[in-house]
Amino acid sequence: MKMMLRAGLLALFPTWLVRPVINLLGFRIAKNAKVGLSWIMIESLDMATGSRIGHFSRIAGPFSIRLAQFGAIGNSNKVIRAPPGISVGASLLNIGVWSKITSRHLIDMTCSITIGDYSTIAGNGCQLWTHGYVHAEDGIDRYRIDGPIVIEDNVYIGSMSFISMGVRIGKGVIVGGGTSVARDLLEPGLYVSSPIRQLPRPPDPETRPDLELVDRALSEDRVFRKRDR
C-alpha cells in the first residue's frame, strides 16, 4: 500500500509539493532533487542534492535506488525487477556523482547494478541484464545465472550496447555503440564488438568455480549466482 501511495504521489504532483509526505513515507529526496512524471514503485529511494529522475520512466519492483549528487535517470527508461520467488535477496541500483542513465534504456535489477562517478549509459537502447539462461542442447532443461554489474568511474557506454550479468567495466573504459559485453573490461581503452564467431558451449554449471547454486529453487529452473570476486 505504501509503495503504491508513494508512486501515485510522485507521478501526479510536483516533487517540491509532495516531498515532505514522500519522505515521511520512507523515501529520502533532497530539497533540490527532482522527480518527473514517472512511475516509481520500489522499496526505497535515496536522492542526493541535484539528482533527478526524468519523465515517463517505469521503475518498479522489489529493489532500491540510490542517486548521488547530480546523478540522473533520464526519460522513458524501464528499470524493473521480478517479484520475490523469482528474484532472490536484496538489489540496489547505485548511481554515482554526475553519472547518468540517459533515455529509453532497459535495466534488469535481478541483481544489483553499481555505476561509479562521472559515467554515462549514453544515447538510447542499451540493455543491462543481471540474469540470463543456458538451455540444454535437447529437451526442456535449462538453468539461470545471476550476477551483479559493476561500472566504475569515468565509463562511457554507447547506444544500443548490451551488458551481461556479472560483468565489471573498469575505470576509463569506452564501450562503442552496439557492443555486446559478456566479460570484464578492466583496462582503459575503446572496446567494440568483433565479428561473430563460434565458441564452445558453456560447461556444466556444477563444475564451474565462478558459480554457486542459489539455496532455494525458483520456479522449475536451477539458479546459479556469480561468486564475489
Side-chain angles (χ1 to χ4, degrees), residues 166-188:
V167 162
R168 176 180 288 269
I169 299 178
K171 182 177 180 180
V173 166
I174 300 168
V175 176
T179 298
S180 179
V181 182
R183 64 179 179 85
D184 292 349
L185 306 177
L186 302 179
E187 296 297 323

Side-chain angles (χ1 to χ4, degrees), residues 62-183:
F63 67 96
S64 300
I65 292 178
R66 183 183 300 132
L67 284 162
Q69 287 185 316
F70 304 104
I73 298 173
N75 300 330
S76 303
N77 290 292
K78 188 175 182 181
V79 187
I80 55 172
R81 191 184 195 216
I86 299 175
S87 298
V88 179
S91 178
L92 170 67
L93 175 57
N94 191 7
I95 299 176
V97 175
W98 281 109
S99 287
K100 184 177 182 181
I101 297 171
T102 57
S103 63
R104 299 193 299 280
H105 301 296
L106 173 60
I107 312 295
D108 160 50
M109 292 303 303
T110 299
C111 292
S112 294
I113 296 176
T114 300
I115 301 174
D117 299 337
Y118 315 113
S119 292
T120 301
I121 311 299
N124 60 77
C126 290
Q127 296 189 29
L128 278 64
W129 286 93
T130 57
H131 80 283
Y133 286 91
V134 177
H135 284 245
E137 291 188 73
D138 298 295
I140 198 171
D141 189 38
R142 68 176 186 174
Y143 61 90
R144 194 178 92 198
I145 299 176
D146 296 348
I149 291 172
V150 177
I151 297 169
E152 297 184 8
D153 299 346
N154 297 90
V155 171
Y156 180 91
I157 308 293
S159 288
M160 305 294 290
S161 292
F162 185 101
I163 313 299
S164 294
M165 66 282 183
V167 162
R168 176 180 288 269
I169 299 178
K171 182 177 180 180
V173 166
I174 300 168
V175 176
T179 298
S180 179
V181 182
R183 64 179 179 85

Side-chain angles (χ1 to χ4, degrees), residues 38-41 55-60 76-80:
S38 289
W39 183 253
I40 304 172
M41 190 170 172
H55 299 303
F56 312 125
S57 288
R58 180 184 169 219
I59 302 172
S76 303
N77 290 292
K78 188 175 182 181
V79 187
I80 55 172

